[in-house]
Amino acid sequence: MDGYAELRDYAVIGDGRSAALIARDGSVDWLAWPDLDSPAMFTAVLDHVRGGKFLLQPDVPYSAARRYLPGTNVLETTFTTTDGTVRLTDALTLPDTTSLAPGRELVRRIEGLAGSVPMRWSVTPRFGYGGCPPHLARRAGVPVATCGPDAVGVCAFNAGQPQCTADAITGQFRTDTGTHALITVAYAYQEPLVLPTRAECEARLEHTTATWRQWTQERTYTGPWREAVLRSALALKLLVFAPSGAVAAAATCSLPESIGGERNWDYRFSWIRDSAFTLDAFLKLGCAPEATGYFWWLMHASQLSHPRLHVLYCLDGGSRAPERTLPLSGYRGSGPVRVGNAAADQLQLDTYGELLQTAWLYTTVGHRLDADIARRLAETADFICTIWQQPDAGIWEVRSDPEHFTQSKMMCWITLDRALDLAERHLIPDRHAARWRRERQAIADFVDDRCFSPRLNTYVRAAGSDDLDAGLLLGLLHGYRPPDDPRMLGTLAAIQQTLQDGPYVNRYLGSDGVPGSEGAFFACSFWLAESLARCGRADEAAHLMDQLVALANDVGLYSEEIDPATGAFLGNLPQGLSHLTLISAACAIGEATR
């Protein structure tokens, strides 16, 4: 063993503000506090030597099975040994209204189910991505680790007497049939550290479980693959940053797209690329508060740089995301480890289409746009009229020279098409509608003349290229051309022939300015399934969907990519776009089947 868990072996828990990755062996290997995008305290997934973690497992050989408690994001792991069985329940608890709760809280409950099992645990906090050594002391007998404004207390109840070493808090105990132990990590940032009682921790754990179940029961989806859709909804909910309404692309940073490679990016930002799928999923799942919160966050964040859009925004709405590297070795030696994301400053023309598509979706369910938002959306359409002819970095944020990416131009067409529809419904000002109509036609002429290969009978990745790109499927899904258009059908067939391998679909095969390779992209596979359904091939779509649903890990989660040869997960996780596109494909196939 090299000290690292398989990425497929991670589950995630969260509380709407932060998230933790827990391996099958009971080790919490990633936890960013106080917020999802804060410098992490546990980073063992990125450096098993220097990164901190919270290990909790039997002190004898064991096997492990796990699940989420039904309808929740509360994780249950069952350890089985030759002499007994232990159940571990993990949650980042949700605050209740009956007590003064810590700022953030991780609760781990250990129950002896059968026999007798020796257990061991250790908490090794490494604040600031491991760059801030903790100071360990005791307060009222409770071990506390501090560094600058960060403080954590480790409260052990019936879990052995905690011991403090130079850099860790450790303990040992034994479970017997019917015993209950509890270990809570309470956190504070620039505020007093509250050390909870056992009763308070137990109550918040029960409250957290009940709250998640209530939320799941309110979901309205009744179509096929319901369990996978609901699990995806719960995973997506973990990526909603409750203080602002933003939705993060993933809970982690710098997990590699190829082992040992340098395609390691920070995904704890909100991408406009994902916005239309995000709002559409919320609406289809009956998540009205999340849909409204996300839409208004997006409108407020994008106004800061209006009329130009940033590719991504911080979860608080800011647009500065300077990219830097950390002195960590990376998952299985996959360096550099990056935080921040330089793609924030790229020109990606497709984002304007996603923004207008999102606003258009928001209005299709009866919402109105206030005067300021309506004016800004019209000005966005005006802006696209002036910049659509520029080359850009494309939806995949290539770090090679800008090109005239076909999907980007298609989304410029979507920008103006949706603006015209909103104007015709008197939802945004229409004084420049004639210009929008002219430029929409000019874009279509460019795409059809310069971005279609008659020889290959397909749209191509960029003007003048012979390469393909799975992102072209968005031209079909967002309505650049209808599903029965011969050129879109030819593109669908070419993508299947060139980029598909069984259930796996590559984004593209050409160069992108970054050395190395990557895995197959889950979202592209789900886009293909949805495209097949939209084109009347529901049986083929359902067969592909069955294969894709089976590729989830044991608790129903998806990363960004997968290695087709080994089935190993690659990239950050849980990946919001993977789960968003699963929801969208399931809904589309259900509609096509009906």
Side-chain angles (χ1 to χ4, degrees):
M1 293 294 291
D2 61 1
Y4 291 95
E6 296 289 339
L7 294 182
R8 176 177 280 279
D9 283 344
Y10 281 107
V12 62
I13 58 174
D15 60 4
R17 300 167 295 178
S18 53
L21 292 187
I22 304 179
R24 185 187 295 273
D25 66 0
S27 182
V28 182
D29 288 347
W30 173 268
L31 175 57
W33 266 342
D35 297 325
L36 191 73
D37 56 356
S38 296
M41 179 179 78
F42 297 149
T43 55
V45 69
L46 293 176
D47 191 323
H48 78 94
V49 175
R50 285 175 288 183
K53 62 182 177 181
F54 181 172
L55 180 68
L56 173 56
Q57 61 186 206
D59 202 13
V60 292
Y62 62 87
S63 61
R66 62 190 180 164
R67 62 168 188 159
Y68 284 108
L69 295 182
T72 80
N73 280 315
V74 176
L75 184 67
E76 179 186 274
T77 304
T78 301
F79 297 113
T80 302
T81 74
T82 57
D83 295 321
T85 306
V86 179
R87 181 165 59 209
L88 170 63
T89 303
D90 286 314
L92 288 178
T93 59
L94 304 174
D96 57 32
T97 58
T98 62
S99 62
L100 180 62
R104 304 287 189 269
E105 182 181 73
L106 167 62
V107 172
R108 315 195 75 181
R109 183 170 63 194
I110 310 99
E111 302 169 81
L113 299 183
S116 181
V117 180
M119 302 290 293
R120 65 187 177 99
W121 59 271
S122 64
V123 179
T124 54
R126 298 290 183 270
F127 299 103
Y129 303 115
C132 187
H135 172 72
L136 298 182
R138 289 183 182 268
R139 297 184 191 174
V142 174
V144 173
T146 58
C147 182
D150 298 283
V152 296
V154 180
C155 303
F157 306 101
N158 201 33
Q161 182 61 42
Q163 304 295 317
C164 291
T165 66
D167 59 358
I169 302 163
T170 67
Q172 293 179 314
F173 64 103
R174 181 176 291 275
T175 67
D176 295 307
T177 304
T179 60
H180 292 72
L182 197 76
I183 305 173
T184 294
V185 178
Y187 174 83
Y189 179 79
Q190 293 184 333
E191 60 189 1
L193 177 63
V194 177
L195 299 175
T197 67
R198 177 170 186 166
E200 290 170 336
C201 296
E202 293 276 12
R204 277 192 290 271
L205 181 56
E206 296 304 319
H207 166 74
T208 299
T209 303
T211 301
W212 281 120
R213 282 186 174 143
Q214 179 63 37
W215 186 85
T216 305
Q217 288 168 4
E218 293 169 356
R219 305 289 60 83
T220 56
Y221 183 79
T222 58
W225 303 286
R226 187 171 186 272
E227 288 302 315
V229 168
L230 291 180
R231 178 48 54 195
S232 288
L234 283 159
L236 181 61
K237 182 66 172 171
L238 287 178
L239 299 176
V240 176
F241 185 59
S244 70
V247 181
T252 57
C253 73
S254 275
L255 295 181
E257 296 176 16
S258 62
I259 302 302
E262 62 179 78
R263 296 170 178 265
N264 317 313
W265 317 108
D266 191 347
Y267 273 17
R268 296 169 300 159
F269 300 94
S270 194
W271 264 257
I272 294 188
R273 172 196 67 193
D274 302 345
S275 61
F277 282 102
T278 300
L279 191 78
D280 193 43
F282 283 150
L283 294 175
K284 287 175 176 173
L285 295 169
C287 302
E290 290 84 357
T292 301
Y294 174 68
F295 178 77
W296 286 105
W297 172 84
L298 181 61
M299 293 300 108
H300 287 304
S302 60
Q303 77 176 342
L304 300 177
S305 56
H306 180 74
R308 187 172 293 276
L309 290 176
H310 286 277
V311 172
L312 55 91
Y313 292 88
C314 301
L315 302 183
D316 64 3
S319 57
R320 291 195 70 256
E323 187 173 291
R324 61 189 178 94
T325 61
L326 299 176
L328 299 173
S329 64
Y331 177 80
R332 290 186 164 156
S334 305
V337 172
R338 296 182 177 93
V339 292
N341 200 308
D345 297 323
Q346 289 182 341
L347 173 64
Q348 291 183 27
L349 293 172
D350 64 289
T351 59
Y352 297 88
E354 297 289 355
L355 183 74
L356 266 292
Q357 175 76 1
T358 302
W360 180 79
L361 286 169
Y362 188 71
T363 66
T364 60
V365 292
H367 293 296
R368 304 287 296 184
L369 303 171
D370 66 30
D372 179 62
I373 298 298
R375 174 186 56 80
R376 285 202 286 118
L377 291 173
E379 290 171 353
T380 298
D382 294 339
F383 187 58
I384 276 296
C385 289
T386 68
I387 69 167
W388 73 263
Q389 297 184 58
Q390 297 182 26
D392 75 329
I395 186 175
W396 305 126
E397 300 164 2
V398 300
R399 301 204 173 187
S400 51
D401 291 337
E403 297 187 58
H404 291 287
F405 286 104
T406 306
Q407 189 267 345
S408 294
K409 306 303 185 190
M410 288 177 169
M411 294 308 294
C412 289
W413 187 94
I414 293 292
T415 305
L416 301 180
D417 186 74
R418 298 303 181 260
L420 284 164
D421 183 77
L422 291 169
E424 289 169 5
R425 291 190 284 137
H426 307 292
L427 296 175
I428 67 173
D430 65 353
R431 58 183 177 275
H432 295 153
R435 184 189 183 194
W436 301 344
R437 195 169 283 107
R438 288 195 305 272
E439 292 299 325
R440 181 182 63 173
Q441 185 58 50
I443 295 169
D445 291 342
F446 180 94
V447 171
D448 291 342
D449 292 344
R450 296 187 55 188
C451 302
F452 184 83
S453 169
R455 180 176 63 85
L456 300 174
N457 191 33
T458 180
Y459 288 110
V460 290
R461 187 182 182 203
S465 169
D466 282 341
D467 293 336
L468 289 180
D469 188 328
L472 295 167
L473 294 172
L474 293 175
L476 189 157
L477 299 183
H478 285 329
Y480 171 74
R481 288 288 183 266
D484 59 353
D485 181 88
R487 294 191 172 198
M488 290 308 309
L489 292 174
T491 302
L492 176 60
I495 287 173
Q496 286 189 280
Q497 182 177 357
T498 306
L499 298 180
Q500 183 185 10
D501 179 11
Y504 308 109
V505 178
N506 292 299
R507 294 192 289 181
Y508 49 84
L509 300 177
S511 63
D512 57 11
V514 183
S517 61
E518 64 178 17
F521 207 69
F522 273 119
C524 296
S525 294
F526 287 117
W527 285 341
L528 178 58
E530 181 171 355
S531 297
L532 291 169
R534 297 278 191 94
C535 292
R537 297 157 65 179
D539 289 345
E540 190 177 346
H543 176 67
L544 174 57
M545 191 70 175
D546 284 337
Q547 293 177 291
L548 295 174
V549 168
L551 293 177
N553 75 356
D554 60 312
V555 290
L557 299 181
Y558 294 86
S559 61
E560 179 185 23
E561 300 177 7
I562 186 170
D563 183 339
T566 65
F569 277 9
L570 296 168
N572 289 299
L573 76 155
Q575 181 76 9
L577 188 59
S578 299
H579 289 280
L580 287 167
T581 50
L582 180 152
I583 294 168
S584 186
C587 291
I589 297 169
E591 292 169 6
T593 303
R594 287 194 296 271

